[in-house]
Amino acid sequence: MDFSAPHVGFVLVAYGISFAVLAVLILATVAKVKSQRTQLARLEDEPDAPRRRKAADQEVPSS
Amino acid sequence: MFKYANPTRFMALSGAMLPWCTAATVALLAAGLYMSLVTAPTDYQQGETVRIMFIHVPAAWMALCVYTVMAIASAVALIWRHPLADVAAKTAAPIGACFTFLALVTGSLWGKPMWGAWWVWDARLTSVLVLFLLYLGYIAVWQTIDEPVKAARIAAIVALVGFVNVPIIKFSVEWWNSLHQPASVLRVDGPAIHSSILWPLLIMATAYTVLFLTLHLVAMRGEILSRRVRQLQLARLEG
């Protein structure tokens, strides 16, 4: 790639924005899973968790 | 296929698939970027700006592809009330919205040096902007309606009604006068572009597709976990 070519700034900005948007999307998606996993572990660790976990497992996680 | 739609089986299967999908995404993106930025030749008219095509076109393809996935999942959710179908549709929407946003922004960055304008109200651009608004509308339905069953039904109807825009986008360059060129890859008589440009484009398109698959699996796992959390919290309140 010739960095002295005309309009090369447009190419770099396009790749930069794509990288930034995809990076934010990946981080946000992974962060959500981690946060849910932590929350679920905390709920399951509480004293009466087995009864509640059984109740939750019996229900299909539909909308 | 319905056998794997059980959330527990899905979690096990997706957990096994994720490392492979992640590795494939990284490898394909690395190869695609190398080919796009290093080995692909410049265009005799467009010069270096032709390299924007390698990220713009796959993003545009994915915008349409993800909406199609969302519409199919919504139809399955409405017709068969499948437990994972609305999870699949709901989690595909933000990813599709990001790809559509990227298609619009990179298109604009390509349009300015080539057409002399950041934006024109061309049939293709306008219909892709409508697609972006449809994604936002779909996400807004999930965010604004408190009752999840009702939100799922309304969101599924929005997705299915909006699907009419997908063929409009695809054929807009043939139905109306447009600054965009007609299809040059997916053609009955074969691709119209040289292999030195075609291969980087196909590799990047495959990378974006595998990236979507990976992110979708992760997002679906997150949504299933969040529904389990909700069920546990409800059970706690009731108990």
Side-chain angles (χ1 to χ4, degrees):
Chain A
M1 188 167 161
D2 178 9
F3 287 95
S4 60
H7 310 306
V8 78
F10 288 94
V11 180
L12 296 176
V13 172
Y15 276 80
I17 290 175
S18 298
F19 176 79
V21 169
L22 293 177
V24 168
L25 178 66
I26 292 166
L27 290 176
T29 309
V30 172
K32 189 192 170 185
V33 177
K34 280 193 174 173
S35 125
Q36 294 302 327
R37 194 167 284 151
T38 309
Q39 212 174 341
L40 187 63
R42 192 165 45 78
L43 281 165
E44 286 177 345
D45 283 346
E46 287 176 9
D48 58 341
R51 183 170 57 85
R52 290 203 311 274
R53 186 166 47 206
K54 193 178 171 188
D57 284 346
Q58 282 169 351
E59 292 180 55
V60 176
S62 63
S63 52
Chain B
M1 188 177 157
F2 278 16
K3 185 174 81 169
Y4 296 105
N6 173 299
T8 310
R9 280 193 191 136
F10 172 80
M11 291 298 272
L13 185 66
S14 60
M17 283 173 68
L18 269 175
W20 297 101
C21 289
T22 308
T25 305
V26 172
L28 283 164
L29 274 177
L33 284 172
Y34 178 75
M35 292 172 86
S36 305
L37 293 171
V38 180
T39 63
T42 53
D43 183 76
Y44 80 103
Q45 279 184 321
Q46 299 188 38
E48 293 289 346
T49 53
V50 76
R51 299 190 193 281
I52 297 176
M53 179 181 71
F54 302 122
I55 48 173
H56 169 71
V57 174
W61 282 346
M62 289 315 296
L64 294 179
C65 178
V66 175
Y67 199 92
T68 305
V69 168
M70 209 173 85
I72 292 169
S74 297
V76 172
L78 272 181
I79 298 165
W80 289 289
R81 305 280 160 92
H82 217 275
L84 279 185
D86 67 292
V87 171
K90 183 184 177 184
T91 52
I95 309 171
C98 283
F99 281 125
T100 314
F101 175 77
L102 285 179
L104 288 168
V105 171
T106 55
S108 189
L109 284 161
W110 196 8
K112 179 62 181 166
M114 293 300 104
W115 296 342
W118 294 104
W119 180 267
V120 284
W121 292 100
D122 167 275
R124 172 60 67 81
L125 271 72
T126 308
S127 53
V128 173
L129 178 64
V130 170
L131 181 73
F132 183 58
L133 297 176
L134 280 166
Y135 273 121
L136 296 186
Y138 180 90
I139 294 166
V141 168
W142 276 106
Q143 297 291 325
T144 51
I145 299 174
D146 284 336
E147 196 191 328
V149 176
K150 195 176 171 186
R153 275 191 205 154
I154 295 174
I157 291 165
V158 168
L160 287 172
V161 171
F163 186 70
V164 74
N165 192 40
V166 171
I168 291 176
I169 294 171
K170 167 74 182 149
F171 295 108
S172 58
V173 290
E174 291 167 26
W175 292 344
W176 295 286
N177 288 325
S178 171
L179 285 168
H180 271 88
Q181 62 183 43
S184 49
V185 178
L186 302 171
R187 288 155 39 109
V188 179
D189 51 348
I193 56 178
H194 192 265
S195 60
S196 60
I197 300 261
L198 180 65
W199 276 109
L201 182 62
L202 293 179
I203 298 287
M204 282 302 281
T206 312
Y208 272 35
T209 307
V210 182
L211 172 66
F212 164 67
L213 177 67
T214 310
L215 279 176
H216 198 207
L217 286 177
V218 174
M220 284 179 73
R221 288 168 68 84
E223 180 64 20
I224 289 169
L225 290 176
S226 98
R227 290 180 183 197
R228 279 192 189 159
V229 166
R230 192 167 174 273
Q231 297 286 357
L232 280 172
Q233 285 170 336
L234 285 174
R236 179 181 180 181
L237 286 173
E238 286 166 6

